[in-house]
Amino acid sequence: MSENPILDTSIHEPPPHAGEAEVLVFAVDRCRARFAWKCGGLTAAALRQHHPPSAMTLGGLVKHLATVEARCTAAYLTGQPLTPPWDSVDFDADPDWEWHSAADDSPAELYALWQGSVERSRAAIGRLLGTGNCGQPSKQSASGGESASLRRVLVELHDEYARHLGHADLLREAVDGL
């Protein structure tokens, strides 16, 4: 395995009496760092390896979480349209696009895609928190006209990572015992 982490896995604990926003952002970043540690430095073959009966791979997880970050940033944090490569994907016709298309991507492409998505998400969260608190509404309204709060968006992003960290643990252990 190469020493090529997909993200700096060092994170700094917030102070014991940190505010809500700092704790929520820390929780998301801690999950991102753990995910980076579990998925970083792998060869293309290792990223494509699945373990039946599941077709899930670590490469698919990397691309899936890059997609989650990109869609969250576009829909909830900035209100801007998706950027490439997601802007050309018909997710209705191919809801599992990121899972199967990851096999066509090199480790460097997958890692860069995820890291870029994380960086854009962090920047958008930082801008929003610079102008308000966690209770401010997100950019997307539900059908009833209500918007989820930034707090809810951060908790859901954290939950998505937490859910997939278990998958990454099992898949990485099967690849090389880490």
Side-chain angles (χ1 to χ4, degrees), residues 1-144:
M1 302 299 145
S2 65
E3 182 56 42
N4 180 18
I6 56 178
L7 188 72
D8 179 6
T9 59
S10 63
I11 55 171
H12 303 286
E13 293 274 337
H17 299 289
E20 175 187 33
E22 194 172 0
V23 170
L24 285 171
V25 169
F26 166 74
V28 172
D29 277 342
R30 180 176 49 198
C31 282
R32 287 172 175 149
R34 287 176 177 162
F35 181 74
W37 180 69
K38 281 294 177 183
C39 295
L42 291 169
T43 65
L47 285 169
R48 292 182 185 120
Q49 187 174 336
H50 70 275
H51 304 279
S54 176
M56 188 180 291
T57 65
L58 286 167
L61 271 175
V62 171
K63 196 163 189 177
H64 171 68
L65 286 170
T67 302
V68 167
E69 293 267 9
R71 292 176 97 172
C72 177
T73 299
Y76 298 106
L77 302 177
T78 67
Q80 300 297 312
L82 286 168
T83 59
W86 300 282
D87 61 342
S88 62
V89 177
D90 182 352
F91 287 101
D92 290 331
D94 191 359
D96 293 330
W97 169 81
E98 67 265 34
W99 294 100
H100 63 78
S101 67
D104 300 327
D105 300 329
S106 71
E109 290 169 322
L110 289 169
Y111 296 155
L113 187 67
W114 182 74
Q115 188 168 4
S117 292
V118 167
E119 289 169 358
R120 285 185 294 279
S121 180
R122 280 188 177 139
I125 291 166
R127 282 190 303 275
L128 287 169
L129 289 174
T131 62
N133 61 34
C134 288
Q136 66 184 290
S138 68
K139 303 295 182 187
Q140 187 176 62
S141 298
S143 58

Side-chain angles (χ1 to χ4, degrees), residues 130-174:
T131 62
N133 61 34
C134 288
Q136 66 184 290
S138 68
K139 303 295 182 187
Q140 187 176 62
S141 298
S143 58
E146 289 186 85
S147 296
S149 67
L150 179 55
R151 176 184 305 104
R152 170 93 182 248
V153 172
L154 288 170
V155 167
E156 296 217 6
L157 186 58
H158 172 270
D159 286 354
E160 185 72 13
Y161 272 97
R163 190 169 71 102
H164 289 306
L165 278 172
H167 298 127
D169 279 339
L170 293 172
L171 291 169
R172 181 62 186 252
E173 186 174 356

